[in-house]
């Protein structure tokens, strides 16, 4: 927080700060948005298993339905993140800022709320609480025009500056969530036994693909909602959970695939100074030690003999 | 602290204030980073959308044959190669449906086998990339951008490398790979005795590494030849691979994988740019 007489705070590195200054954005303060949400979803009858029948587990020998979307979970996961972002945006608006850069969205379990599990949908747990928080730096533009609401982006200071000088303005943080569940059923249970023959498990493939496709579709809609034309994706996170099926009389397994894509939507604008933006160069020598570039020789990392000597094939 | 208004940020803020929602406007998604996105656009391509393909395979790691023998596990090689091929095929189909000329920044991953939720014996293959279309104004190579079979090209190169490759008058044709899943047997009693208390080379293992790598590389080359490529850039040879380890069997089952991007040269009138000396201000270590 900052006042007229107090220095501003920020989570920016010096290079980020310098980059933002170069495009006319001044930091006004570090802003935060937080939301703790309870997920009391039980998953009952969600997986589409035919349920327990008089023939026992064999009941699920019957034709299983296609993987199902967990609408409730998708909506809550989206709404919780959106709430945290909204609060950060309000915070920035209160500082009279024009935008928030370098926003970092984090999700943590919140065990103090009662029954909890680290895995979001760990079997056996009926409810859990998660903390969604986002931290960023509010910036004010050296401009006469002002957006109606401060924009939010998860780009670093350098990336924001690069995009602005290339004629793209961030319009907001966008998300896509996909959560799909399917009952394994008899056929899949047979196929995935340890001694089962090597082959594709089509039901799992379908599940994995569907979850990502859903998240992608929602991301696209979100970009459109933010009046953007393209998006830069910061992270794609996919979690696969196995859980005891609560529908087939406690027998069998369900698999749930959850995908969360987070990024920033961007809209093009015309530069009135006619400048074409940054130029691409082919650097022959980066004046920076190799360790600082974050690019280590891949072969060295992937070589188990060098990284984990215990895995030498001799005994 | 007040400063004079800046024309760049003025334009940006005015655009932001005037933003209008358009439910029908075409929207593109991509998993490219900021610099990648700009360079792909600078190379004359427009991103169309994120495309993907997934396959989950059950791997029976206990194979017929003597456990003590080192040999290739053919069924596993075939299964994992087929899964990769199908995942890539699905990605290309999605790209073709979007009307793309190619897919850049393809990441092909194998996860699972003991980690993740698919169970101990399942491996998940994921291919993810950004479909792009060449702008009509850009120069087109003689054979077009697509693969000889008419499918969109695929490239494992980053946006930066993609730009540099085009500048060097070459076009990407396809992500090519060769795999060899190898069972690495234990040492036989003879060698154990002979090497007791001595520091010696284990020639059988050395030879095995050579053979397996050679097989993987050859298979990759065969794929590249099928695309009528001049060469393969950015080859990464991975060995072992965490995805195959993790249990008592894993230490003896290794995958040797070669992945690269097949490229072909084309005639261009412009000269490739001379490399420049730059001072990078982006401190990647600290972000």
């Amino acid at each position: 927080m900052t006042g007229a007489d107090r220095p501003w705070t920020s989570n920016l590195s010096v290079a980020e700060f310098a980059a933002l200054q170069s495009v006319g954005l001044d930091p006004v303060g570090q802003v935060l948005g937080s939301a703790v949400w309870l997920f009391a979803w039980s998953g009952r009858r969600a997986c589409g298993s035919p349920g327990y029948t008089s023939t026992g587990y064999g009941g699920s020998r019957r034709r299983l339905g296609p993987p199902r979307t967990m609408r409730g979970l998708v909506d809550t996961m989206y709404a919780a993140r959106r709430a945290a972002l909204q609060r950060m945006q309000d915070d920035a608006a209160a500082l009279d800022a024009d935008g928030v850069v370098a926003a970092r969205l984090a999700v943590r379990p919140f065990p103090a709320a009662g029954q909890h599990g680290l895995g979001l949908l760990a079997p056996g747990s009926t409810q859990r609480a998660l903390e969604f928080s986002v931290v960023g730096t509010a910036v004010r533009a050296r401009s006469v025009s002002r957006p109606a609401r401060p924009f939010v982006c998860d780009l670093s200071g350098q990336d924001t500056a690069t995009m602005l000088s290339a004629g793209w303005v961030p319009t907001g943080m966008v998300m896509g969530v996909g959560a799909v569940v399917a009952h394994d059923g008899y056929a899949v249970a047979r196929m995935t036994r340890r001694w089962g023959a090597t082959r594709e498990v089509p039901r799992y493939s379908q599940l994995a693909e569907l979850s990502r496709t859903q998240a992608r579709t929602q991301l696209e809609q979100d970009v459109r909602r933010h009046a953007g034309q393209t998006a830069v994706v910061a992270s794609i996170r996919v979690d696969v959970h196995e859980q005891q099926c609560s529908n087939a009389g406690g027998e069998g397994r369900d698999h749930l695939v959850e995908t969360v894509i987070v990024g920033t939507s961007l809209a093009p604008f015309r530069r009135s100074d006619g400048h074409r933006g940054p130029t691409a160069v082919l650097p022959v020598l980066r004046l920076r030690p190799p360790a600082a570039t974050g690019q280590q020789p891949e072969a060295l990392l992937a070589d188990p003999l060098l990284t984990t000597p215990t895995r030498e094939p001799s005994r | 602290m007040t400063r004079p208004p800046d024309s760049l940020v003025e334009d940006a803020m005015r655009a932001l204030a005037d933003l209008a929602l358009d439910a029908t406007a075409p929207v593109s998604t991509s998993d490219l980073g900021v610099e990648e996105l700009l360079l792909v656009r600078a190379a004359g391509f427009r991103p169309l959308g994120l495309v993907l393909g997934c396959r989950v395979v059950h791997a029976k790691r206990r194979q017929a044959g003597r456990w003590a023998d080192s040999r290739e596990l053919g069924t596993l090689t075939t299964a994992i190669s087929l899964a990769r091929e199908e995942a890539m095929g699905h990605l290309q189909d999605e790209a073709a449906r979007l009307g793309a000329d190619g897919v850049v920044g393809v990441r092909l991953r194998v996860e699972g086998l003991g980690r993740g939720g698919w169970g101990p014996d399942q491996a998940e293959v994921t291919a993810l990339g950004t479909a792009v279309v060449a702008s009509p104004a850009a120069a087109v190579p003689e054979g077009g951008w697509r693969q000889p079979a008419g499918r969109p090209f695929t490239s494992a190169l980053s946006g930066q490398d993609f730009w540099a490759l085009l500048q060097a008058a070459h076009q990407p044709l396809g992500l090519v790979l060769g795999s060899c899943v190898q069972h690495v047997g234990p040492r036989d009693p003879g060698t154990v005795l002979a090497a007791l208390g001595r520091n010696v080379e284990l020639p059988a293992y050395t030879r095995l590494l050579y053979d397996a790598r050679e097989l993987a590389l050859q298979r990759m080359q065969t794929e590249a030849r099928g695309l009528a490529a001049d060469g393969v850039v950015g080859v990464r040879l991975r060995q072992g691979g965490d995805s195959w380890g993790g249990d008592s069997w894993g230490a003896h089952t290794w995958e040797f994988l070669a992945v690269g991007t097949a490229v072909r040269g084309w005639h261009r009138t412009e000269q490739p740019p001379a490399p420049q000396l730059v001072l990078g201000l982006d401190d990647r270590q600290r972000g």
Side-chain angles (χ1 to χ4, degrees):
Chain A
M1 285 290 168
T2 181
D5 54 340
R6 269 188 287 174
W8 47 265
T9 56
S10 86
N11 57 349
L12 300 172
S13 68
V14 175
E16 284 185 290
F17 171 66
L20 288 172
Q21 290 274 301
S22 76
V23 291
L25 292 171
D26 297 314
V28 288
Q30 187 164 332
V31 284
L32 165 86
S34 213
V36 180
W37 278 57
L38 181 72
F39 287 73
W41 170 85
S42 72
R44 245 188 132 64
R45 307 208 177 279
C47 66
S49 128
Y52 187 81
T53 61
S54 54
T55 50
Y57 183 41
S60 40
R61 251 183 229 255
R62 283 190 285 166
R63 203 177 152 69
L64 292 171
R68 294 191 184 186
T69 308
M70 304 180 69
R71 203 65 254 171
L73 186 65
V74 170
D75 292 346
T76 326
M77 294 293 281
Y78 182 87
R81 285 177 171 82
R82 199 37 87 199
L85 283 169
Q86 207 95 51
R87 282 167 198 167
M88 184 179 72
Q89 217 177 5
D90 292 344
D91 218 357
L95 286 175
D96 202 22
D98 293 315
V100 180
V101 299
R104 293 280 168 273
L105 190 67
V107 184
R108 299 182 199 91
F110 198 83
Q115 214 178 3
H116 58 275
L118 258 175
L120 178 62
L121 291 159
S125 64
T126 52
Q127 65 167 48
R128 61 209 63 78
L130 291 174
E131 176 201 334
F132 298 83
S133 62
V134 55
V135 180
T137 297
V139 292
R140 198 174 298 150
R142 284 175 229 146
S143 64
V144 182
S145 318
R146 315 208 48 192
R149 287 272 287 161
F151 69 85
V152 179
C153 77
D154 64 359
L155 305 176
S156 69
Q158 292 98 319
D159 284 350
T160 310
T162 309
M163 270 331 227
L164 278 177
S165 37
W168 291 88
V169 62
T171 65
M173 255 172 95
V174 284
M175 292 168 295
V177 184
V180 191
V181 70
H183 186 70
D184 270 10
Y186 182 72
V188 172
R190 262 182 76 94
M191 227 181 258
T192 55
R193 284 182 305 194
R194 175 137 244 182
W195 56 91
T198 300
R199 56 165 296 187
E200 193 200 334
V201 188
R203 195 165 169 82
Y204 285 174
S205 300
Q206 204 187 353
L207 195 57
E209 219 157 68
L210 195 62
S211 171
R212 289 171 173 88
T213 309
Q214 270 183 1
R216 178 183 60 187
T217 312
Q218 203 188 16
L219 182 79
E220 256 169 40
Q221 287 167 353
D222 220 19
V223 173
R224 200 166 278 134
R225 238 193 324 265
H226 285 85
Q229 220 176 72
T230 191
V232 172
V233 170
S235 73
I236 302 179
R237 196 192 146 88
V238 182
D239 285 310
V240 183
H241 309 274
E242 186 188 295
Q243 56 190 12
Q244 198 73 32
C245 180
S246 57
N247 204 11
E251 296 228 50
R253 294 168 300 174
D254 286 348
H255 274 91
L256 181 124
V257 185
E258 193 193 303
T259 310
V260 180
I261 311 180
V262 181
T264 293
S265 97
L266 298 148
F269 70 92
R270 187 172 290 281
R271 285 186 68 162
S272 56
D273 54 6
H275 200 280
R276 294 282 303 279
T279 44
V281 293
L282 200 58
V284 63
L285 176 67
R286 283 229 173 217
L287 299 181
R288 188 199 302 150
T293 62
Q295 287 167 356
Q296 290 184 1
E298 179 105 6
L300 217 66
L301 282 175
D303 196 332
L305 286 174
L306 288 171
T307 50
T308 49
T310 46
R311 216 188 285 160
E312 274 181 320
S314 57
R315 5 178 80 181
Chain B
M1 183 171 60
T2 40
R3 299 197 180 207
D6 192 304
S7 93
L8 167 65
V9 79
E10 184 69 59
D11 294 339
M13 291 305 128
R14 191 179 310 121
L16 209 51
D18 297 344
L19 270 187
L21 283 182
D22 184 357
T24 55
V27 158
S28 71
T29 52
S30 75
D31 67 339
L32 300 171
V34 159
E35 284 176 16
E36 289 187 286
L37 182 73
L38 293 178
L39 284 169
V40 167
R41 294 186 78 97
F45 284 83
R46 190 164 52 85
L48 289 175
L50 202 61
V51 285
L52 52 89
C54 303
R55 287 292 178 271
V56 181
V57 183
H58 172 75
K60 181 190 174 196
R61 276 175 285 177
R62 175 126 211 189
Q63 303 275 320
R66 252 163 53 87
W67 187 70
D69 294 341
S70 296
R71 67 193 189 287
E72 191 190 351
L73 302 175
T75 351
L76 282 182
T77 305
T78 317
I80 205 76
S81 303
L82 188 69
R84 285 200 181 99
E85 213 172 280
E86 285 184 357
M88 286 299 292
H90 189 272
L91 171 129
Q92 278 178 299
D93 290 346
E94 279 199 351
R97 269 201 295 279
L98 289 173
D101 285 322
V103 186
V104 298
V106 176
R107 282 175 286 169
L108 189 60
R109 292 215 184 99
V110 181
E111 277 157 347
L113 288 174
R115 269 199 303 275
W118 291 120
D121 297 306
Q122 273 74 246
E124 184 187 6
V125 179
T126 319
L128 195 71
T130 302
V132 293
V133 65
S135 69
V140 180
E142 300 89 60
W145 288 109
R146 292 189 160 212
Q147 290 179 355
R151 306 184 82 188
F153 73 80
T154 54
S155 151
L157 305 172
S158 66
Q160 288 90 337
D161 282 351
F162 179 69
W163 180 83
L165 181 75
L166 293 189
Q167 297 301 309
H170 277 71
Q171 68 173 114
L173 285 172
L175 184 155
V176 285
L177 53 90
S179 160
C180 171
V181 183
Q182 186 87 20
H183 173 74
V184 183
R187 288 190 288 155
D188 63 77
T191 28
V192 173
L193 276 178
L196 215 58
R198 297 168 58 205
N199 300 335
V200 289
E201 187 183 1
L202 302 170
Y205 289 144
T206 309
R207 200 174 322 116
L208 182 138
L209 290 184
Y210 269 97
D211 292 350
R213 281 196 183 119
E214 194 51 40
L215 263 177
L217 278 171
Q218 265 174 21
R219 285 169 186 164
M220 187 184 73
Q221 275 176 306
T222 312
E223 262 194 38
R225 196 177 305 126
L227 291 170
D230 287 346
V232 183
V233 295
V235 176
R236 287 178 190 172
L237 243 176
R238 284 185 216 150
Q239 165 186 335
D242 290 330
S243 46
W244 296 94
D247 69 357
S248 58
W249 276 97
H252 289 268
T253 311
W254 287 19
E255 186 189 22
F256 294 82
L257 173 68
V259 189
T261 303
V263 299
R264 189 169 58 196
W266 57 294
H267 181 71
R268 264 181 96 152
T269 43
E270 309 127 63
Q271 285 293 309
Q276 293 177 36
L277 199 68
V278 295
L279 273 163
L281 276 174
D282 42 342
D283 184 352
R284 283 186 206 278
Q285 212 168 25
R286 297 199 48 215

